[in-house]
Amino acid sequence: MLCQFKLIPGRLLTQKDLPYILTPNELLNHLNRFTDLTSLKASLPINLQRYSAISDSQGVFQTVSRIRQLVEQGEWAALSLMNQHRSVDSLHLVQGSGLKKRIDKVVNPSVTRSRLKVKPTLPRSSSNTSSITPISEKKNDNKIVIEFAGQWPNNAASISISKLKNINEKTVKPKKDHKNGHRSLVEFTNLDDRNRALYLTLPSMNSAKEINLLLSESLLPVAKETEMAEWDNVLVPVVPMKRQETEHTLYKTGFFYIIWKNKVWREIAINKNGYFCEYYHQGDNRSQSKTYHVNITGSEFLPESNVSFEKFELYQKGKKVFSGELDLCEQARVFDLGEEEVTLKFVDFDHDEICLATHESPTKDDGSNNTKRISHPMPHIWLPYKILGQQQTDCYVYYSQRSLNENDINALEADYINVAVSTDEMSVYSKQQTFEGDSIYKLPIVDNSVFGAELINKQSDSNIAAMTVMPPKNQITLRYRICSTTDQPDDFMMLRNEDQEWSQKVYFRQAKADDEGFLNLPFSGWPKEVEEVDILRGASADLGTIEYELSVLKTKIKISELIG
């Protein structure tokens, strides 16, 4: 495996290394790519391999944990091979950690010296007056406190504050309030009196950069002696669920959308175990996130051979990026390539080098996650209840079976009050320090046979909230059994009413196959004038073209027959 980082002893860290520095979480993303202990240890410096904590470790997980700990303690530093083009102020390092102190020492070496200023002694002076004068410093005796409902096991999420430009930031995880069992607290201490911005921070699985979600642009610190029965900024961990009569269960697939301040604030996917993964769109990089695809037709470059079902590999810049096999027609189409040319190699026979030009993939609002950072799976979702002392009455949660495109999001933002679930019922927390409503209630204990039972039950005594979020009532779901050898991500199903000039497509790439191998393709938002539709299937007749053929499957089906 090509190593994209290096480790150096912390004492050797210099100013020149700072543009390449990796946080412990970013290093963890690199280390988790190793699947066997031998290759992991081989990637380490000799001195680190001989370190007792590493040489004695018995598995990949234990070794990775110990390496991360050594970096967090500042004994070792992790550097990327590429310039990260960022300042150390944006690293969100844990305040007081060894790595933070090590970097501060490199950035401001004078800080680690004596805080006493020595006056130079004048030549030939016989004065015995002390030449030492103390430096006066501004006191940092303020704090910011964020309250969370409940007390739960530690997870990957944290809270960050940011000072003004070019001033270090702090990142802290919630800790149990031992005086009040109903809540946890995040405390930022030793602050001056300047305002800070507040962020929810999540580590990313597919990017070295963390996900930062703005909660407030300006929080004013309070005196360190301040105590409150309920703090001005309160977040509530929530487990969205569906409820059928008396049974509660998690969703197996789909997406939750958090609408806050009239805009879609967060997109959260459900993974196969019922956990929640933040999908954070890198909007600033959209113009730079081009992807390519290649159309392979074996008969074009091996006309005298039949290469149906032959295994092949694709390489870019000498690195294997894909492996698969051709279909019955000697064809394949491969997406999500990063270069304008690929090298094709067949696995089971020798041949001359085959170089193929790729094609830039069209940019569609299709829910694709190619330009999205995805967070580590979380057992619940943090939602704002109070910010700056004000209840956030404009926060709503919406469920969709598929990822929403830009048009869907615009429609949701225009009508969320009627289709999404309000978080207003959180207000009971201020009176009872728990949750007791129709839509928001204390997380229940469920039967072990229910999907997600383990995730639910291990949090049920944490005093966090459950929230019933049901699918839209007016929704049509078409189930389609996927065929991996013929179906393509750009294929789609369509509902159409020609009289009303209305149609809607759902691409295959917008849905995930369930345990039975079916795609669940949801349709919604048809005009009230549309009472019947045709069902069509769109597919490319030849992988070498970008033209689609429409096949009419059924005509004039009543909407009422399709709902549900």
Side-chain angles (χ1 to χ4, degrees):
M1 178 183 293
L2 183 62
C3 200
Q4 299 295 321
F5 67 94
K6 66 178 181 179
L7 291 158
I8 64 171
R11 58 185 172 80
L12 299 181
L13 191 67
T14 67
Q15 288 271 6
K16 294 181 179 180
D17 297 322
L18 295 183
Y20 301 86
I21 199 78
L22 294 175
T23 69
N25 281 336
E26 293 169 347
L27 174 63
L28 190 62
N29 289 333
H30 289 286
L31 295 176
N32 283 338
R33 296 171 185 170
F34 289 92
T35 57
D36 66 275
L37 186 59
T38 302
S39 60
L40 172 56
K41 288 188 175 181
S43 70
L44 304 178
I46 296 296
N47 290 345
L48 185 54
Q49 292 181 31
R50 294 172 179 171
Y51 197 85
S52 59
I54 302 302
S55 60
D56 295 342
S57 59
Q58 300 299 314
V60 173
F61 178 79
Q62 187 181 47
T63 304
V64 167
S65 298
R66 288 179 175 178
I67 295 171
R68 186 187 188 283
Q69 186 178 24
L70 290 172
V71 171
E72 200 161 48
Q73 292 171 347
E75 295 187 36
W76 288 79
L79 305 178
S80 172
L81 299 185
M82 299 179 63
N83 192 317
Q84 300 297 290
H85 300 291
R86 62 185 178 186
S87 70
V88 294
D89 302 336
S90 63
L91 295 179
H92 301 297
L93 297 176
V94 176
Q95 191 69 16
S97 68
L99 180 60
K100 180 72 165 60
K101 293 177 180 177
R102 183 78 70 179
I103 291 176
D104 287 347
K105 183 177 179 181
V106 173
V107 173
N108 301 305
S110 60
V111 172
T112 62
R113 299 174 187 170
S114 172
R115 291 184 177 270
L116 299 178
K117 185 176 180 180
V118 181
K119 287 185 178 180
T121 302
L122 296 176
R124 299 176 184 173
S125 172
S126 60
S127 172
N128 292 324
T129 304
S130 172
S131 60
I132 300 176
T133 305
I135 294 179
S136 61
E137 293 185 347
K138 186 176 181 179
K139 290 185 178 180
N140 294 330
D141 54 0
N142 300 294
K143 66 180 180 180
I144 287 177
V145 181
I146 310 301
E147 179 173 338
F148 285 81
Q151 298 183 348
W152 61 91
N154 187 30
N155 57 54
S158 54
I159 292 292
S160 299
I161 57 171
S162 173
K163 292 185 181 180
L164 301 176
K165 188 176 180 180
N166 297 325
I167 302 179
N168 288 345
E169 299 178 337
K170 298 183 179 183
T171 300
V172 177
K173 291 181 177 294
K175 294 182 179 179
K176 295 178 180 179
D177 182 353
H178 296 292
K179 297 180 182 178
N180 298 281
H182 69 276
R183 71 184 186 183
S184 298
L185 299 176
V186 165
E187 293 195 43
F188 299 95
T189 57
N190 301 320
L191 304 178
D192 58 35
D193 57 2
R194 281 176 285 185
N195 286 15
R196 268 76 170 178
L198 180 69
Y199 295 91
L200 192 167
T201 301
L202 300 166
S204 172
M205 290 195 300
N206 63 338
S207 171
K209 295 182 178 180
E210 294 174 322
I211 298 170
N212 287 304
L213 303 170
L214 181 65
L215 290 164
S216 175
E217 292 183 343
S218 182
L219 291 187
L220 181 65
V222 297
K224 65 179 181 180
E225 299 84 6
T226 305
E227 295 294 336
M228 293 187 183
E230 181 176 286
W231 290 89
D232 287 343
N233 300 284
V234 184
L235 302 183
V236 176
V238 170
V239 179
M241 310 175 76
K242 57 182 176 179
R243 180 164 56 183
Q244 297 173 331
E245 297 180 354
T246 60
E247 183 179 80
H248 300 78
T249 182
L250 298 182
Y251 284 94
K252 294 183 178 180
T253 60
F255 296 81
F256 290 106
Y257 290 85
I258 313 302
I259 304 98
W260 188 29
K261 300 178 181 178
N262 303 318
K263 295 291 183 181
V264 170
W265 178 48
R266 302 173 63 182
E267 179 184 20
I268 300 166
I270 303 163
N271 77 1
K272 63 180 180 180
N273 296 318
Y275 283 73
F276 309 103
C277 299
E278 190 80 29
Y279 272 29
Y280 180 77
H281 194 278
Q282 298 168 248
D284 293 341
N285 297 329
R286 178 173 291 185
S287 62
Q288 304 172 12
S289 58
K290 293 181 180 179
T291 61
Y292 301 86
H293 64 273
V294 65
N295 301 316
I296 304 172
T297 302
S299 59
E300 290 184 358
F301 37 81
L302 295 170
E304 298 179 359
S305 303
N306 187 327
V307 289
S308 298
F309 307 113
E310 287 289 348
K311 296 179 180 179
F312 69 90
E313 297 173 340
L314 294 181
Y315 291 80
Q316 291 184 326
K317 295 184 176 180
K319 181 181 179 180
K320 184 170 73 173
V321 294
F322 183 83
S323 59
E325 66 177 40
L326 300 184
D327 62 15
L328 177 64
C329 301
E330 306 177 78
Q331 295 181 328
R333 173 181 282 172
V334 180
F335 290 87
D336 299 331
L337 301 172
E339 303 294 335
E340 297 180 356
E341 185 178 81
V342 294
T343 300
L344 170 68
K345 292 184 180 180
F346 286 98
V347 175
D348 296 324
F349 60 90
D350 295 329
H351 57 86
D352 295 335
E353 184 176 271
I354 302 173
C355 291
L356 301 176
T358 61
H359 307 277
E360 184 178 340
S361 300
T363 301
K364 299 193 300 294
D365 294 319
D366 59 1
S368 171
N369 62 10
N370 293 337
T371 61
K372 294 177 182 176
R373 277 185 261 161
I374 304 175
S375 76
H376 283 268
M378 304 295 296
H380 50 242
I381 300 169
W382 293 353
L383 298 181
Y385 164 47
K386 281 188 176 181
I387 299 293
L388 301 178
Q390 298 297 316
Q391 182 179 346
Q392 302 303 295
T393 56
D394 55 352
C395 186
Y396 288 74
V397 182
Y398 177 81
Y399 171 79
S400 172
Q401 286 187 345
R402 63 180 174 88
S403 179
L404 302 183
N405 60 32
E406 185 174 350
N407 291 334
D408 296 327
I409 287 176
N410 290 339
L412 176 59
E413 290 176 344
D415 195 37
Y416 66 88
I417 293 177
N418 296 317
V419 297
V421 181
S422 171
T423 62
D424 278 357
E425 289 184 2
M426 287 183 181
S427 60
V428 73
Y429 174 79
S430 294
K431 300 176 182 178
Q432 302 180 15
Q433 289 76 52
T434 188
F435 302 95
E436 193 178 72
D438 294 328
S439 299
I440 300 177
Y441 41 90
K442 186 177 179 180
L443 190 65
I445 297 175
V446 300
D447 188 84
N448 289 332
S449 62
V450 170
F451 175 74
E454 181 181 358
L455 173 59
I456 297 170
N457 290 339
K458 71 180 181 181
Q459 301 183 89
S460 60
D461 61 349
S462 301
N463 197 44
I464 67 174
M467 185 174 189
T468 299
V469 184
M470 300 302 290
K473 294 181 179 179
N474 292 330
Q475 180 169 287
I476 294 170
T477 301
L478 299 183
R479 281 171 56 80
Y480 176 83
R481 184 181 289 278
I482 194 75
C483 178
S484 60
T485 58
T486 58
D487 293 327
Q488 298 293 317
D490 277 352
D491 293 351
F492 57 86
M493 299 293 288
M494 177 192 286
L495 297 185
R496 182 182 67 188
N497 183 300
E498 291 184 305
D499 293 338
Q500 298 296 331
E501 297 182 347
W502 177 86
S503 66
Q504 187 176 96
K505 297 178 184 176
V506 177
Y507 290 89
F508 287 4
R509 67 169 64 183
Q510 291 179 256
K512 296 179 181 179
D514 60 23
D515 294 338
E516 298 176 347
F518 283 87
L519 294 178
N520 293 289
L521 306 169
F523 296 81
S524 61
W526 53 86
K528 62 181 180 180
E529 294 81 11
V530 173
E531 297 180 353
E532 57 185 23
V533 292
D534 302 332
I535 302 177
L536 300 91
R537 165 83 156 85
S540 174
D542 188 329
L543 297 185
T545 71
I546 58 173
E547 296 180 358
Y548 287 86
E549 290 187 357
L550 290 176
S551 302
V552 179
L553 305 181
K554 291 189 176 183
T555 59
K556 297 188 180 302
I557 305 296
K558 295 288 186 183
I559 288 284
S560 58
E561 296 177 12
L562 294 174
I563 292 178

